[in-house]
Amino acid sequence: MLDTSPFLVRHGSPAGLARRDPHSNQGFEGGKAEGKAALEPLSARLSELQTALWAESGQSLLIVLQAMDTGGKDGTIRNVFMGVNPQGVRVWGFGAPTEEELAHDYLWRIHDHTPANGGITIFNRSHYEDVLVVRVKDLVPESRWQKRYAHIVDFERLLSDEGTTVVKLFLHISKEEQRSRLEARLQEADKRWKFNPGDLEDRKLWDDFQEAYEEAITRTSTEQAPWYVVPADRKWYRDLAVASILIETLERMDPRYPPEPDLDGVVVE
Ligand code: ADP
């Protein structure tokens, strides 16, 4: 387990993205091979905790995953949840809203996909897009998106008060790392399908996106729904950090198996 406290954005403190090193491997002695090996016991622990959460069926976990393009959301989900029973975990991706979704308030499409008791749901992008891409690309006037930070804090408090723990992860990559990942998508045949020319347009807006993330994370990291900024240039370190944060979160939730039924004298014929 990594010490997760360096990743946590404390309520009331700035996210401080510019001074956080995306290439960090703080607290881990060793390289990629050791990092990958260290993930295995963490996956096993996650799996145990997920089983207990499912058996208990009295609370749930919502994981919000955000990142710049190529930030590694898909890889993180794949690697960290590899050993976990797929029955108890759902992944929900939020792309550009449909016409029907746009005809409602921005949280309308979100609430329907929050986890039920016993479940873990991962949001691959989320309601945060409504203060990120929407802000950077001027999709609604500032007078509207400015109010959303407060709605989001309230919405997440509602979830937490009603038994859904919310944990939010920003996979923090450097602009240089994004260049190399985009180039890999262009050059490597098995990665081409992931290349989206629109990502190059968004890359030009890098600084605006960083500024939008800085403000969103700063204004919405709360005790009930904290943000963690995960150094994500090294994929193996990112996976270890995410697994550590999730284990810590689930251990704090402390899911308990229901009391065993009295089975004395029960015989299977
Ligand atoms: P990903 O990049 O996460 O792998 P996609 O290629 O489907 O997935 O991209 C989803 C796109 O949808 C992103 O460009 C994102 O900015 C956009 N998007 C998500 N939510 C919103 C929103 N609320 N308003 C506008 N665009 C959004």
Side-chain angles (χ1 to χ4, degrees):
M1 285 273 289
L2 296 179
D3 171 11
T4 65
S5 58
F7 314 136
L8 174 66
V9 176
R10 281 174 212 289
H11 176 60
S13 304
L17 296 181
R19 64 172 166 73
R20 289 174 181 268
D21 178 11
H23 205 65
S24 166
N25 61 348
Q26 190 181 355
F28 191 80
E29 305 279 327
K32 184 171 173 179
E34 292 81 6
K36 286 192 162 188
L39 186 63
E40 282 176 31
L42 301 191
S43 291
R45 178 69 185 133
L46 255 186
S47 171
E48 272 172 17
L49 286 159
Q50 185 271 329
T51 306
L53 186 75
W54 182 255
E56 178 194 58
S57 265
Q59 54 178 335
S60 59
L61 175 63
L62 173 62
I63 302 163
V64 170
L65 252 193
Q66 286 284 158
M68 298 291 285
D69 292 323
T70 76
K73 293 182 278 98
D74 297 330
T76 303
I77 296 169
R78 208 168 45 236
N79 298 343
V80 172
F81 287 91
M82 187 101 81
V84 175
N85 181 350
Q87 287 221 92
V89 180
R90 287 192 182 181
V91 182
W92 199 266
F94 291 97
T98 63
E99 207 175 315
E100 191 190 17
E101 288 167 348
L102 280 174
H104 292 80
D105 73 82
Y106 66 98
L107 290 174
W108 181 77
R109 67 171 180 160
I110 304 290
H111 207 161
D112 201 28
H113 300 291
T114 55
N117 279 343
I120 297 178
T121 295
I122 305 162
F123 280 178
N124 184 343
R125 299 188 191 268
S126 63
H127 43 298
Y128 283 93
E129 294 293 327
D130 294 283
V131 288
L132 294 166
V133 66
V134 164
R135 163 183 172 153
V136 170
K137 299 203 175 157
D138 226 354
L139 301 180
V140 307
E142 174 164 2
S143 56
R144 252 172 92 185
W145 59 252
Q146 269 293 353
K147 294 188 181 139
R148 292 180 173 177
Y149 303 106
H151 306 151
I152 290 174
V153 167
D154 286 345
F155 171 61
E156 292 174 353
R157 186 184 310 119
L158 173 154
L159 295 178
S160 144
D161 287 349
E162 293 290 325
T164 298
T165 294
V166 182
V167 63
K168 301 174 296 198
L169 308 171
F170 174 58
L171 307 180
H172 187 27
I173 56 163
S174 61
K175 196 172 179 190
E176 197 41 47
E177 179 66 19
Q178 189 190 56
R179 173 203 302 281
S180 93
R181 292 186 189 179
L182 285 170
E183 277 174 354
R185 285 184 184 184
L186 271 180
Q187 282 155 19
E188 295 170 31
D190 62 338
K191 292 193 174 151
R192 273 228 169 132
W193 64 274
K194 286 202 252 183
F195 187 78
N196 170 3
D199 291 351
L200 297 181
E201 291 307 308
D202 285 0
R203 180 170 166 78
K204 293 186 190 145
L205 300 168
W206 178 275
D207 291 343
D208 295 345
F209 270 106
Q210 292 290 312
E211 202 180 308
Y213 267 111
E214 177 72 27
E215 184 164 4
I217 294 172
T218 300
R219 294 184 63 175
T220 62
S221 197
T222 60
E223 296 267 330
Q224 308 96 310
W227 272 106
Y228 291 84
V229 176
V230 173
D233 274 6
R234 300 180 210 239
K235 295 175 182 170
W236 60 265
Y237 183 80
R238 166 202 79 197
D239 294 343
L240 281 179
V242 169
S244 301
I245 293 163
L246 298 182
I247 288 170
E248 209 173 79
T249 304
L250 279 158
E251 284 181 345
R252 218 174 292 133
M253 291 168 73
D254 194 20
R256 308 278 176 98
Y257 285 91
E260 287 180 18
D262 181 6
L263 300 175
D264 284 354
V266 175
V267 177
V268 180
E269 306 246 326

